[in-house]
């Protein structure tokens, strides 16, 4: 039976190998394995290393690759007895009694149809995949071996996989698992290629980042102890660049848990491609891009470098010190745009090199935590000319363009081969208005403005390679200018504004005026506009320079006439109801006259030299005189009506204050007062008088006009308020040093406010109360204290008085040293006078001998005893007294130093 199985399997492998020979894909059998029909045998197999069931090996071989699929022991489930899965073989669903299956379109129901059988989200060209493992927990394991020889065409393998594991809660080695590993054939044995090419996924798995892949999980229907978790389709790159010429094998294994309850399976499909850098030729166009380098797409990272020294030989290409990073490249850019700046300058010539070596370090991974890096190299050359043109413009709208482009290495001009330079002249809207070829070309634009020229410089090294640039050009034209005077009718000595105009869009930056007066000479002005007074007919020249340094000059003639001089006569002060006649005359014959109340009027009130009217209020009349030459002169005549006014600077004063009375609106005035105020005498006929009434008085003013008429008299009253009459009192009669409080009262008539001032603290104390209490802080320097009182009425009439309050001081002052032999400080005793009774003072030397005694506080010791001077030294003094009106005796003792 075993022999028959092996024979049938060998027949199938030969048939599949023949089928594989017809495939042209570099990864035959791995990408879209739709034709695989692999026989599976699920008969039991026992053994110490078996955890499930193992079928015979199905092998598909074609020259350089072998595809194996087998049910194998799960190494993590070793030494577990075999369980029989025959009970599941007849069930419908994903299992269908098959393990190795070719899957087409559709969704996996164990993921609640969230995951497709195909990685169409990563590669829409995939049409089928391989499924390994079963959907029932039979503690089996299945492996897919993909074996091939690494060549330059399949060195980069892209593997797509999706994993479904029932999330058991056993120990790690008892849970479902998936392993992806790459091995190399070494002396007939496949050996691991290292930790970076091995990816192991084991349960338990939760809804978080496991193996740096995104997982989704849910509670199985009817199962409260486990979840199902799946990893959606994931694409990884397996970089085999360092194993070219070797035979390698990609192994994918899945296994159930050891408890026969939980399953594990995965989906696999893949593709491969060459791994090399491809440098394109010239990139024609306007940019500085001269070439494009393409690396294999789909890797996890790219680092681009350029040679520091130009194109490298085989013995220099692998030295990392010969390279520098290329600024601006990103880690995900599989395509590098090469620019002129990527070619170094040859220090011997000062020119950029023609070709340079570029390096790309590519990063891929099978396990995201274990990146694999490889370096690829390629040379790229620069064949694009470097565009440079010079332009010359004139103020007639013409432009001369010269192609000064250089070779890619900057060694010199492209040459005089005219077809290599092609010109297109464009207007401001970008439309072509003319073409030319050759190193130098000329074109004339009809108007000034911002236009452009396109130059296409073809490489002399490659006719398909060219550099094309559109450069802005500015076309210049002489400005189209004119002169616009502010008035066209000019009179002698009239000042007008001259404005230069320009219809071109280019602004004028310099204005120059030359005014030629045949009598007064030439005048030069700058700026725009300018103001000038013309006395005679003159020629005006205007020269303008625009921002393009183009200049134009225009001229015009300013002709002038003369202004008439006029005089208006009439009454300037008119009484109400009287008429007034105004007359105007001028110094030129043939003038016409017009009368207006406002210079803004367009229609005159009357024409002619005279104008009669009856004014009712103050006003102005204007006369306009127009000469026969059209020069007009205006004059104003102001008149007013006799309407006097009266006002006073104040209407309430204190006795003795002055009041200023002011009249207005009349030619002269007369004044009266009631009662008669003598201070008004001698101030008649003036508009302003100053009076000093002693009582409340009414003043009457009458205004008179120049024709003798009088206006209605006006009156104003001034109220005179009296000052308060002082009446004050205070207690006690003197200031006691020990109780220095004074109680004061302001009883003055009509007072409403009092201000007390005390020199002891230099402060004023305003109060509305009649009574005021004050405590003195320092009175030792005073025998009596002057206190000033200011009393004020409700109208502010105030006057002040000062009174003195005596100070009663009971403090004695004695010096602590005195000098009897000198002019000052020659006696010892009280320095101040105190009010005391029964006063005595006694002085003792150091042996207790009394040398002086007195009952008079004004008597002092002269430093002698019995007529002889006492010795220098300290002496003890004792004074006793009774304070005035006191009963207790005061005794004080101290020392004094006697000096010579």
């Amino acid at each position: 039976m075993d022999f028959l199985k092996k024979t049938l399997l060998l027949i199938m492998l030969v048939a599949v190998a023949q089928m594989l020979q017809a495939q042209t894909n570099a990864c035959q059998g791995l990408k879209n394995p739709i034709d695989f029909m692999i026989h599976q045998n699920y008969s039991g197999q026992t053994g110490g290393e078996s955890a499930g069931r193992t079928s015979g090996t199905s092998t598909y071989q074609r020259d350089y690759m072998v595809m194996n699929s087998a049910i194998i022991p799960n190494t993590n489930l070793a030494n577990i007895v075999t369980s029989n899965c025959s009970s599941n073989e007849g069930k419908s669903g994903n299992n269908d009694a098959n393990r190795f299956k070719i899957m087409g379109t559709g969704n996996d129901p164990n993921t609640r149809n969230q995951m497709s059988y195909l990685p169409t989200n990563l590669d829409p060209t995939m049409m089928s995949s391989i499924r390994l493992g079963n959907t029932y927990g039979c503690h089996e394991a299945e492996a897919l071996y993909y074996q091939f020889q690494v060549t330059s065409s399949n060195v980069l393998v892209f593997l797509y996989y999706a994993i479904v594991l029932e999330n058991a809660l056993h120990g790690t080695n008892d849970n479902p698992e998936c392993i992806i590993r790459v091995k190399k054939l070494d002396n007939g044995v496949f050996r691991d290629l290292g930790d970076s090419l091995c990816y192991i996924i084991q349960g338990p798995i939760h809804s978080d980042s496991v193996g740096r892949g995104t997982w989704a999980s849910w509670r199985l229907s009817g199962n409260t102890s486990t979840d199902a978790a799946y990893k959606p389709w994931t694409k990884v790159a397996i970089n085999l660049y360092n194993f070219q010429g070797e035979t390698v094998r990609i192994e994918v294994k899945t296994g159930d848990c050891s408890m026969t309850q939980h399953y594990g399976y995965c989906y696999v499909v893949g593709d491969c491609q060459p791994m090399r850098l491809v440098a394109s030729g010239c990139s024609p166009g306007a940019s500085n891009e001269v070439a494009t380098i393409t690396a294999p797409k789909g890797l996890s990272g790219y680092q681009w470098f350029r040679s520091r020294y130009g194109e490298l030989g085989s013995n220099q290409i692998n030295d990392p010190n010969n390279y520098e990073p290329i600024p601006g490249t990103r880690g995900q850019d599989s395509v590098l745009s090469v620019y002129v700046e990527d070619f170094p300058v040859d220090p011997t010539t000062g020119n950029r090199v023609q070709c340079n070596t570029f390096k790309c370090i590519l990063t891929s991974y099978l396990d995201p935590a274990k990146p694999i890096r490889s370096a690829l190299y390629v040379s790229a050359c620069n064949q694009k000319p470097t565009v440079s043109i010079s332009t010359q413009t004139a103020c007639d709208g013409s432009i001369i363009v010269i192609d000064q482009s250089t070779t890619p290495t900057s060694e010199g001009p492209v040459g005089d081969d005219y077809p290599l330079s092609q010109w297109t002249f464009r207007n401001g809207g970008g439309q072509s208005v003319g073409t030319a070829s050759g190193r130098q070309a000329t074109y004339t634009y009809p108007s000034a403005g911002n236009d452009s020229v396109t130059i296409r410089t073809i490489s002399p090294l490659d006719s398909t390679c060219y550099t094309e640039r559109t450069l802005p050009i500015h076309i210049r034209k002489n400005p189209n200018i004119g002169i616009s005077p502010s008035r066209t009718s000019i009179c002698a000595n009239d000042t007008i504004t001259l404005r230069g105009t320009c219809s071109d869009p280019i602004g004028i930056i310099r204005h120059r005026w030359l005014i030629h007066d045949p009598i007064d000479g030439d005048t030069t002005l700058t700026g725009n506009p300018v103001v000038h007074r013309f006395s005679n007919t003159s020629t005006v020249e205007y020269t303008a320079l625009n921002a393009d340094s183009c200049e134009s000059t225009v001229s015009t003639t300013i002709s002038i006439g003369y202004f008439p001089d006029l005089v208006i006569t009439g009454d300037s002060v008119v009484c109400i109801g009287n008429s007034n006649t105004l007359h105007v005359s001028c110094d030129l014959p043939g003038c016409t006259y017009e009368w207006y109340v406002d210079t803004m009027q367009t229609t005159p009130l009357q024409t002619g030299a005279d104008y009669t009217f009856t004014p009712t209020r103050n006003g102005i009349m204007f006369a306009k005189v127009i000469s026969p030459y059209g020069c007009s002169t205006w004059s104003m005549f102001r008149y007013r009506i006799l309407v006097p006014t009266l006002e006073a600077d104040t209407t309430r004063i204190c006795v003795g204050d002055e009041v200023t009375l002011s009249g207005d609106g009349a030619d002269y005035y007369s004044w009266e007062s009631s009662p008669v105020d003598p201070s008004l005498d001698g101030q008649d006929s003036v508009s302003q008088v100053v009076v000093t009434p002693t009582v409340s008085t009414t003043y009457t003013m009458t205004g008179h006009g120049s024709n003798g008429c009088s206006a209605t008299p006006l009156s104003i009253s001034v109220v005179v308020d009296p000052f308060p009459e002082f009446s004050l009192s205070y207690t006690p009669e003197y200031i006691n040093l020990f109780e220095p409080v004074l109680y004061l009262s302001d009883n003055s008539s009509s007072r409403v406010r009092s201000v007390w001032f005390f020199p002891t603290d230099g402060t004023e104390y305003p109060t509305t109360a009649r009574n005021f209490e004050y405590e003195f802080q320092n009175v030792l320097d005073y025998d009596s204290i002057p206190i000033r009182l200011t009393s004020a009425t409700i109208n502010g009439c105030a006057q002040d008085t000062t009174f003195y309050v005596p100070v009663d001081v009971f403090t004695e002052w004695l010096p602590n040293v005195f000098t009897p032999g000198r002019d000052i400080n020659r006696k010892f005793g009280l320095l101040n006078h105190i009010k005391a009774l029964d006063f005595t003072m006694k002085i003792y030397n150091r042996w207790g001998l009394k040398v002086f005694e007195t009952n008079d506080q004004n008597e002092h010791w002269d430093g002698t005893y019995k007529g002889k001077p006492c010795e220098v030294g300290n002496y003890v003094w004792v004074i006793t007294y009774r304070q005035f009106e006191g009963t207790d005796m005061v005794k004080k003792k101290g020392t004094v130093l006697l000096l010579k």
Side-chain angles (χ1 to χ4, degrees):
M1 184 66 180
D2 291 340
F3 174 79
L4 179 61
K5 290 181 180 179
K6 293 180 179 179
T7 302
L8 291 175
L9 178 60
L10 179 60
I11 294 173
M12 289 187 65
L13 290 174
V14 171
V16 171
Q18 293 174 349
M19 179 270 295
L20 286 174
Q21 288 179 338
Q23 298 184 10
T24 60
N25 187 271
C27 292
Q28 294 177 359
L30 186 60
K31 182 176 182 179
N32 296 325
I34 193 66
D35 296 327
F36 276 80
M37 300 290 292
I38 297 182
H39 173 73
Q40 303 290 331
N41 186 339
Y42 298 107
S43 61
Q45 173 182 334
T46 62
E49 297 182 358
S50 175
R53 304 185 179 199
T54 305
S55 72
T57 299
S58 300
T59 303
Y60 302 85
Q61 183 173 1
R62 178 184 181 276
D63 296 338
Y64 52 84
M65 63 182 64
V66 174
M67 173 78 81
N68 296 334
S69 174
I71 297 177
I72 63 171
N74 183 336
T75 56
N76 287 335
L77 307 176
N79 302 320
I80 304 300
V81 297
T82 302
S83 174
N84 192 339
C85 276
S86 60
S87 61
N88 294 329
E89 292 181 1
K91 293 185 178 181
S92 61
N94 273 1
N95 198 49
D96 294 331
N98 264 324
R99 298 298 185 268
F100 184 94
K101 293 192 67 176
I102 305 300
M103 310 300 292
T105 59
N107 298 320
D108 188 327
N110 284 335
T111 67
R112 293 186 176 178
N113 294 320
Q114 297 297 310
M115 188 180 72
S116 170
Y117 292 139
L118 301 175
T120 53
N121 60 320
L122 301 176
D123 188 345
T125 65
M126 296 298 181
M127 295 181 294
S128 59
S129 66
I130 303 170
R131 194 190 76 186
L132 299 177
N134 68 83
T135 60
Y136 295 91
C138 298
H139 56 76
E140 292 181 343
E142 187 170 14
L144 170 67
Y145 297 152
Y146 185 71
Q147 177 181 325
F148 61 97
Q149 185 178 17
V150 180
T151 67
S152 60
S153 62
N154 62 9
V155 68
L156 183 59
V157 179
F158 290 106
L159 192 67
Y160 304 80
Y161 65 87
I163 302 171
V164 182
L165 300 177
E166 196 172 5
N167 197 5
L169 301 178
H170 311 308
T172 300
N173 292 334
D174 297 331
N175 286 319
E177 69 176 358
C178 178
I179 302 173
I180 303 175
R181 178 187 288 112
V182 182
K183 293 185 176 182
K184 183 184 76 170
L185 184 63
D186 184 13
N187 294 325
V189 178
F190 282 99
R191 304 183 188 279
D192 290 342
L193 291 183
D195 189 51
S196 61
L197 289 174
C198 178
Y199 187 32
I200 300 176
I201 303 171
Q202 297 172 311
I205 299 169
H206 305 287
S207 306
D208 55 7
S209 180
V210 178
R212 293 177 176 82
T214 302
W215 289 78
S217 67
W218 63 91
R219 182 72 60 184
L220 293 174
S221 176
N223 192 332
T224 60
S225 62
T226 60
D227 295 336
Y230 74 92
K231 184 175 183 179
W233 279 102
T234 303
K235 177 183 179 181
V236 295
I238 303 176
N239 181 358
L240 301 175
Y241 185 81
N242 297 328
F243 304 99
Q244 294 187 66
E246 305 279 358
T247 297
V248 300
R249 185 169 76 185
I250 302 175
E251 300 180 355
V252 183
K253 300 178 181 180
T254 59
D256 303 332
C257 82
S258 62
M259 303 301 180
T260 73
Q261 295 296 320
H262 304 96
Y263 58 75
Y265 60 93
C266 72
Y267 298 90
V268 179
V269 68
D271 196 4
C272 55
Q273 68 180 53
M275 188 170 176
R276 60 179 180 268
L277 301 181
V278 179
S280 68
C282 172
S283 301
S287 71
N288 287 328
E289 183 180 342
V290 299
T292 301
I293 300 177
T294 305
K297 296 181 179 180
L299 278 74
S300 60
Y302 303 84
Q303 291 178 279
W304 292 94
F305 300 83
R306 63 191 177 198
S307 169
R308 303 174 187 268
Y309 312 109
E311 193 169 18
L312 302 175
S314 58
N315 59 337
Q316 301 171 316
I317 199 169
N318 292 319
D319 187 352
N321 295 321
N322 292 335
Y323 298 90
E324 63 181 5
I326 298 178
T329 56
R330 298 175 299 176
Q332 300 301 318
D333 292 334
S334 62
V335 178
L336 174 66
S337 296
V338 180
Y339 297 91
V340 173
E341 295 78 10
D342 293 321
F343 294 84
V345 175
D346 188 339
T348 60
T349 63
N351 302 322
R352 292 190 182 274
V353 300
Q354 182 76 35
C355 299
N356 199 23
T357 299
F358 295 85
K359 177 176 73 171
C360 183
I361 297 179
L362 304 97
T363 302
S364 61
Y365 63 83
L366 179 58
D367 184 341
K370 305 165 187 175
I372 305 170
R373 293 180 175 86
S374 300
L376 298 180
Y377 307 88
V378 71
S379 292
C381 297
N382 177 15
Q383 297 180 351
K384 291 185 68 172
T386 300
V387 169
S388 176
I389 69 171
S390 66
T391 61
Q392 301 174 10
T393 60
C395 289
D396 61 354
S398 64
I399 182 172
I400 300 174
V401 289
I402 302 174
D403 187 358
Q404 296 180 328
S405 302
T406 60
T407 59
T409 57
S410 303
E411 295 173 350
V414 171
D416 292 332
D417 188 358
Y418 288 168
L420 295 180
S421 302
Q422 300 175 2
W423 305 88
T424 301
F425 298 94
R426 304 181 186 276
N427 59 19
Q431 292 85 14
S432 172
V433 294
T435 59
S437 63
R439 185 169 179 267
Q440 178 173 313
T442 302
Y443 184 78
T444 299
Y445 282 83
S447 60
N450 295 318
D451 302 293
S452 62
V453 60
T454 300
I455 171 67
R456 173 177 290 190
T457 301
I458 302 173
S459 171
L461 306 176
D462 182 356
S463 60
T464 65
C465 180
Y466 62 88
T467 302
E468 184 175 276
R469 297 284 174 84
T470 297
L471 305 174
I473 57 175
H474 186 70
I475 302 303
R476 303 188 300 154
K477 286 280 190 176
N478 289 321
N480 183 18
I481 61 174
I483 300 175
S484 175
S486 60
R487 294 205 311 269
T488 57
S489 178
I490 307 301
C491 296
N493 299 316
D494 195 7
T495 298
I496 66 169
T497 299
L498 300 172
R499 185 181 301 276
T501 61
C502 180
S503 60
D504 299 329
I506 304 301
I508 303 301
I509 62 172
R510 190 176 68 195
H511 308 266
R512 187 175 68 250
W513 300 84
L514 177 60
I515 301 174
H516 178 65
D517 188 315
I519 300 175
D520 297 336
D522 293 344
T523 300
T524 301
L525 302 173
T526 59
N528 188 44
V530 295
V531 177
H532 185 69
R533 183 176 64 86
F534 287 88
S535 301
N536 306 285
T537 298
S538 304
T539 301
V540 177
E541 287 186 0
Y542 170 55
T543 301
L545 178 72
N546 64 18
D548 293 332
S549 298
C550 295
E551 189 176 76
S552 296
T553 301
V554 294
S555 64
T556 187
T557 299
I558 302 297
S559 299
I560 66 169
Y562 294 95
F563 290 100
D565 291 331
L566 60 89
V567 176
I568 302 177
T569 59
D571 294 331
S572 60
V573 178
V574 183
C575 293
I576 293 178
N578 293 348
S579 63
N580 191 13
T581 299
L582 303 181
H583 176 78
V584 61
S585 60
C586 72
D587 61 339
L588 296 177
C591 291
T592 58
Y593 307 94
E594 297 175 350
W595 295 92
Y596 299 87
V597 294
D598 190 335
T599 57
M600 301 302 294
Q601 282 183 269
T602 58
T603 302
L605 297 174
Q606 184 176 312
T607 60
D610 296 314
Y611 177 61
T612 301
F613 65 103
T614 302
T616 59
R617 61 174 180 235
N618 298 341
I620 298 174
M621 189 64 66
F622 293 91
K624 179 181 180 183
V625 179
I626 306 170
S627 73
Y629 303 99
C631 299
S632 61
T633 303
W634 288 79
S635 184
M636 179 184 69
F637 186 85
R638 187 182 299 274
Y639 60 89
R640 58 189 175 87
I641 301 299
L642 182 62
V643 181
T645 61
L646 174 63
E647 62 179 17
D649 60 353
T650 181
T651 59
R652 196 171 196 116
I653 63 172
C654 299
V655 174
D657 290 345
E658 291 184 344
V659 177
T660 299
L661 305 174
S662 300
D664 194 15
D667 282 349
Y668 64 96
Y669 309 85
S670 58
W671 297 87
E672 295 178 351
S673 62
S674 179
V676 175
D677 181 4
S679 65
L680 188 61
D681 295 342
Q683 300 187 77
D684 205 11
S685 300
V686 295
S687 62
Q688 188 178 83
V689 296
V690 178
V691 295
T692 309
T694 58
V695 295
S696 298
T697 305
T698 299
Y699 296 90
T700 301
M701 181 208 74
T702 303
H704 307 282
S706 58
N707 59 358
C709 62
S710 299
T712 300
L714 302 175
S715 296
I716 192 167
S717 295
V718 177
V719 178
V720 179
D721 293 323
F723 289 103
E725 295 180 3
F726 279 115
S727 175
L728 62 93
S729 62
Y730 62 89
T731 59
E733 295 180 357
Y734 58 88
I735 299 171
N736 189 329
L737 178 64
F738 299 99
E739 295 181 6
V741 178
L742 194 63
Y743 301 92
L744 303 106
S745 297
D746 182 5
N747 300 312
S748 303
S749 61
S750 303
R751 55 108 11 233
V752 295
R753 184 172 180 268
S754 303
V755 178
W756 300 92
F757 174 76
F758 301 91
T760 52
D761 62 5
T763 304
E764 289 185 345
Y765 295 90
T767 178
T768 58
R770 290 188 178 274
N771 298 322
F772 183 72
E773 177 183 333
Y774 180 76
E775 181 177 354
F776 292 89
Q777 301 297 322
N778 181 17
V779 297
L780 294 179
D781 294 334
Y782 296 88
D783 290 332
S784 62
I785 298 178
I787 301 174
R788 186 177 72 232
L789 168 63
T790 301
S791 294
T793 66
I794 192 171
N795 297 319
C797 296
Q799 60 181 347
D800 56 46
T801 184
T802 300
F803 59 95
Y804 293 81
V805 179
V807 177
D808 185 16
V809 179
F810 288 98
T811 300
E812 65 284 339
W813 292 349
L814 293 97
N816 55 13
V817 63
F818 78 112
T819 55
R822 300 189 182 181
D823 293 337
I824 59 174
N825 198 23
R826 59 189 301 171
K827 292 184 179 182
F828 172 77
L830 285 176
L831 298 180
N832 64 319
H833 180 80
I834 60 176
K835 292 183 178 182
L837 300 176
D838 302 328
F839 176 83
T840 63
M841 181 175 68
K842 299 176 182 180
I843 298 175
Y844 302 89
N845 65 13
R846 58 183 174 176
W847 294 283
L849 177 63
K850 182 171 64 175
V851 297
F852 180 77
E853 180 178 4
T854 181
N855 294 323
D856 186 355
Q857 60 178 296
N858 296 318
E859 183 180 1
H860 291 178
W861 180 42
D862 60 0
T864 63
Y865 177 64
K866 294 183 179 182
K868 294 182 180 182
C870 294
E871 296 180 355
V872 173
N874 287 313
Y875 292 81
V876 177
W877 58 263
V878 178
I879 62 173
T880 60
Y881 61 88
R882 181 167 53 87
Q883 289 186 2
F884 185 73
E885 294 182 350
T887 59
D888 296 331
M889 293 297 295
V890 177
K891 182 177 181 179
K892 292 190 177 182
K893 182 179 180 181
T895 63
V896 61
L897 176 62
L898 186 152
L899 298 176
K900 295 297 185 181

